């Protein structure tokens, strides 16, 4: 049984991280897509709810844009990425599984809130927490500090979100998205 010299092992690990960083740059498109969709939906919901005082569920309509626009666009980005990707690394798969798990958690919280088992005033801070978890873990995997800092910022915003009225949680969602998705997403895009 042969073993690699320590330097060769470090070089392999460094190459894997660099390859995963390259894949994450491509996946920065996902951060930008979902970041803009959530930002627009949260701000539109706030405007409908507070200045325009629209109620009876109509104020929540902007959120319908997420699945209607986001899912087809995600599919297109994925198709394009699969056509251009030559190799998927273990770290790339870990990042994809991370976001799949985060997505499942979003759907579970949404389902519980829609069933009336928890209030959206509790659900929205939990969403902010998940924004932070996804970006922090992705940033940690590829050692991209802006994602990690965005994740930490979202966790701090999450704590504050539990203490503000529901309508202002929408503004905190927008802030969380800007620091955890959009700023790091544009930084990744600039690196290409």
């Amino acid at each position: 049984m042969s073993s690699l010299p320590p330097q060769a092992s470090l070089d392999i690990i460094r190459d894997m991280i660099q390859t995963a960083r390259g894949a994450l740059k491509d996946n920065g498109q996902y951060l930008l897509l979902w970041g803009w969709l959530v930002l627009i939906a949260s701000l539109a919901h706030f405007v409908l709810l507070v200045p325009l005082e629209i109620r009876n569920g109509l104020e929540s309509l902007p959120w319908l844009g997420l699945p209607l626009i986001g899912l087809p666009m995600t599919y297109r980005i994925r198709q394009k990425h699969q056509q251009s990707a030559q190799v998927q690394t273990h770290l790339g798969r870990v990042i994809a599984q991370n976001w799949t798990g985060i997505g499942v958690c979003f759907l579970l919280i949404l389902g519980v809130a829609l069933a009336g088992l928890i209030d959206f005033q509790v659900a929205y801070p939990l969403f902010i927490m998940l924004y932070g978890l996804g970006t922090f873990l992705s940033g940690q995997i590829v050692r991209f500090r802006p994602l990690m800092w965005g994740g930490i910022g979202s966790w701090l915003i999450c704590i504050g979100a539990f203490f503000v009225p529901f309508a202002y949680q929408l503004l905190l969602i927008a802030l969380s998205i800007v620091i955890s998705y959009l700023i790091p997403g544009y930084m990744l895009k600039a690196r290409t």
Side-chain angles (χ1 to χ4, degrees):
M1 184 167 153
S2 68
S3 64
L4 291 172
Q7 186 58 44
S9 295
L10 288 173
D11 290 342
I12 290 171
I13 292 169
R14 192 173 345 205
D15 288 345
M16 287 177 60
I17 290 171
Q18 285 304 109
T19 303
R21 276 187 182 159
L24 189 58
K25 285 180 197 174
D26 294 338
N27 291 338
Q29 296 176 48
Y30 296 115
L31 290 171
L32 295 175
L33 168 67
W34 287 98
W36 278 108
L37 288 175
V38 172
L39 179 68
I40 291 166
S42 62
L43 292 176
H45 187 171
F46 177 81
V47 168
L48 292 172
L49 187 63
V50 177
L52 299 179
E53 297 182 1
I54 295 176
R55 302 283 191 268
N56 299 333
L58 295 177
E59 73 281 5
S60 304
L61 286 179
W63 293 106
L64 292 178
L66 270 65
L68 294 176
I69 298 168
L71 294 177
M73 292 296 293
T74 297
Y75 178 77
R76 285 188 204 153
I77 293 170
R78 181 173 292 151
Q79 293 293 90
K80 183 179 173 185
H81 181 66
Q82 286 176 346
Q83 291 171 357
S84 66
Q86 296 170 344
V87 177
Q88 184 175 16
T89 67
H90 174 69
L91 292 178
R93 284 189 295 275
V94 169
I95 291 170
Q97 291 168 349
N98 168 47
W99 284 105
T100 300
I102 298 293
V104 169
C105 290
F106 271 109
L107 292 175
L108 290 172
I109 293 168
L110 179 63
V112 169
L114 289 173
L117 300 174
I118 63 171
D119 193 290
F120 274 96
Q121 187 155 359
V122 173
Y124 280 11
L126 295 177
F127 291 158
I128 295 170
M129 179 183 64
L130 291 175
Y131 301 146
L133 180 62
T135 55
F136 180 83
L137 289 176
S138 294
Q140 184 67 35
I141 291 166
V142 298
R143 299 182 182 172
F144 186 63
R145 290 193 186 276
L147 278 172
M148 294 181 344
W149 285 111
I152 292 167
S154 286
W155 291 336
L156 295 173
I157 292 168
C158 166
I159 294 167
F162 281 108
F163 299 102
V164 300
F166 173 76
Y168 294 94
Q169 287 180 345
L170 296 164
L171 297 178
L172 293 179
I173 286 174
L175 177 61
S176 171
I177 285 297
V178 167
I179 66 168
S180 64
Y181 280 52
L182 294 178
I183 292 172
Y186 280 111
M187 292 175 80
L188 283 167
K189 186 177 178 180
R191 288 180 146 198
T192 57

